[in-house]
Each structure stands twice: as structure tokens, then as C-alpha cells.
């Protein structure tokens, strides 16, 4: 997805609109330009004016994809076909522990790779607009049952090594938060597809 956006509804009643950017200059671009072009300026303006009635707050933030820490042997894909379910794990840490957290995340990557895990995941680092440092691990699945099935298979595969590594990881974290969600294809936009 080089332009457009991916819409996700989370189980804590938020809507996320994910748009990739190459650099900070991309913030000057209108990510909704394809929609505006399709609808026309007047209808586009009316739609967003009407939309403002349906939410109380909004915020923008940037997370940074870490290809080095992500485990996706088939290549990075933020929207794998047939896998609309998402599990987001936020691993919070103090700034002083950032290098330790990233080193352990790299150990997880290497463990998954050495065992040939069939459960890919993406890792993002918190960035602009966030109040705490964290790594966010995102796993895509067909549904919640598929997520749990692949989680159990992966845990069995990485075994005691994985348990020990997770224990080590927890010791340098200040908190963990899990959120589930679903990709909303009808509210997403991938021009050219």
C-alpha cells in the first residue's frame, strides 16, 4: 500500500486510518486526495463536515515500521489477503530501556526465524505524537479463533526458549496492552487495485 489508507475498527471503540508515509514531507500531502477526486470537492467537504458530528475527539500520530524486528519471511504486507483480524500488542518501556527492549525483540525475531515459524508479525516503534515509548507488535489472522490457533502453534514451536525470552522481556517493560481489531475494507482505499 503506497498510497490510500487502511481502516481498522478496534474492540475499544476506535477507528484507525493507517496511511504509509516515506518521510515527514508526506504529512503535507492529502491522504484523502483519491476520495476527494472521486467524490468531487463539494461532496467531499460535506461528507467530512457531516462526519464531524459523529465523534468527540481525534488525534494523529506516527509509528515507525521496523523491518529489522518484524518477522515476515514472505515480505512486509500490512494487509495480507483473507486476514482482516488484527491483534495489537503494545509493549511499553522507559526511554532508558529502549536498547534492551529492541535487543530482546531482535532475539524474538531470530528465534522465530531459526524455528521456521509460520506466524508472521510486524513491529512498529512509537514515534511523533505518542506520549510513551513502546514497541507495537501486529499479527494478522482470519479471525480471533485463527489468531489463537496460530498463537498456540507458535508458542509450542518456540517452546521453553520462547518462554524464557518472554520472561526476560517482561522484566524491562513498564506495561503491556492488547487490543484486537478488524480491517474494514469498505472504509479502506487502495488506489490502483
Amino acid at each position: 500500500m503506497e498510497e490510500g489508507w487502511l481502516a481498522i475498527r478496534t474492540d475499544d471503540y476506535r477507528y484507525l486510518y493507517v496511511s504509509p508515509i516515506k518521510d515527514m514531507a508526506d504529512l503535507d500531502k492529502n491522504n484523502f486526495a483519491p476520495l476527494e477526486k472521486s467524490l468531487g470537492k463539494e461532496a467531499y467537504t460535506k461528507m467530512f463536515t457531516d462526519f464531524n458530528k459523529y465523534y468527540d475527539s481525534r488525534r494523529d500520530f506516527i509509528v515507525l515500521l521496523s523491518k529489522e524486528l518484524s518477522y515476515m519471511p514472505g515480505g512486509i504486507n500490512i494487509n495480507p489477503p483473507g486476514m482482516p483480524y488484527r491483534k495489537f500488542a503494545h509493549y511499553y518501556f522507559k526511554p532508558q530501556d529502549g536498547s534492551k527492549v529492541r535487543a530482546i525483540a531482535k532475539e524474538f525475531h531470530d528465534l522465530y526465524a531459526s524455528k521456521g515459524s509460520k506466524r508472521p508479525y510486524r513491529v512498529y516503534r512509537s514515534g511523533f505524537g505518542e506520549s510513551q515509548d513502546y514497541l507495537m507488535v501486529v499479527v494478522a489472522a482470519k479471525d480471533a479463533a485463527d489468531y489463537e490457533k496460530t498463537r498456540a502453534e507458535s508458542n509450542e514451536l518456540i517452546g521453553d526458549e520462547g518462554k524464557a525470552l518472554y520472561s526476560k522481556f517482561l522484566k524491562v517493560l513498564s506495561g503491556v496492552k492488547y487490543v484486537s481489531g478488524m480491517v474494514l475494507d469498505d472504509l479502506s482505499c487502495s488506489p490502483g487495485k
Side-chain angles (χ1 to χ4, degrees):
M1 171 182 288
E2 292 197 18
E3 57 180 57
W5 63 89
L6 187 65
I8 300 169
R9 182 187 62 237
T10 64
D11 61 2
D12 61 352
Y13 305 106
R14 292 180 296 139
Y15 284 78
L16 307 175
Y17 291 88
V18 180
S19 297
I21 61 172
K22 291 179 187 157
D23 54 37
M24 296 296 266
D26 277 357
L27 297 177
D28 291 334
K29 296 178 183 174
N30 177 4
N31 289 326
F32 291 103
L35 180 62
E36 182 177 3
K37 182 179 179 184
S38 174
L39 293 176
K41 184 152 185 75
E42 188 177 315
Y44 173 83
T45 301
K46 181 179 180 340
M47 181 185 73
F48 275 99
T49 300
D50 291 345
F51 184 63
N52 289 339
K53 300 172 193 172
Y54 297 100
Y55 64 93
D56 296 328
S57 65
R58 64 175 286 277
R59 72 183 183 103
D60 297 317
F61 59 94
I62 294 174
V63 292
L64 308 161
L65 174 65
S66 174
K67 292 180 181 178
E68 175 190 11
L69 299 179
S70 297
Y71 176 72
M72 295 197 85
I76 301 290
N77 183 351
I78 70 166
N79 197 20
M83 302 181 96
Y85 181 82
R86 295 292 185 275
K87 180 67 90 168
F88 302 90
H90 294 80
Y91 297 103
Y92 296 94
F93 56 90
K94 295 175 184 173
Q96 67 196 25
D97 293 325
S99 60
K100 292 176 193 173
V101 168
R102 286 186 293 278
I104 294 169
K106 180 67 170 117
E107 287 183 60
F108 268 112
H109 172 278
D110 295 347
L111 178 60
Y112 270 61
S114 72
K115 300 286 187 177
S117 176
K118 304 289 187 228
R119 186 173 202 232
Y121 60 84
R122 292 182 317 284
V123 176
Y124 296 86
R125 292 182 295 120
S126 55
F128 183 77
E130 293 289 46
S131 61
Q132 287 183 276
D133 288 343
Y134 63 81
L135 287 183
M136 178 176 65
V137 176
V138 182
V139 177
K142 294 174 189 169
D143 52 33
D146 181 53
Y147 170 84
E148 290 300 331
K149 177 181 174 280
T150 61
R151 184 182 68 78
E153 290 168 353
S154 179
N155 286 346
E156 186 174 331
L157 181 68
I158 63 174
D160 290 338
E161 259 183 285
K163 287 177 189 173
L165 191 54
Y166 191 66
S167 268
K168 179 179 164 182
F169 194 46
L170 288 176
K171 289 176 185 169
V172 295
L173 298 177
S174 58
V176 180
K177 175 183 168 189
Y178 299 98
V179 177
S180 301
M182 292 294 288
V183 170
L184 304 171
D185 286 328
D186 58 334
L187 297 179
S188 300
C189 176
S190 295
K193 287 191 175 186

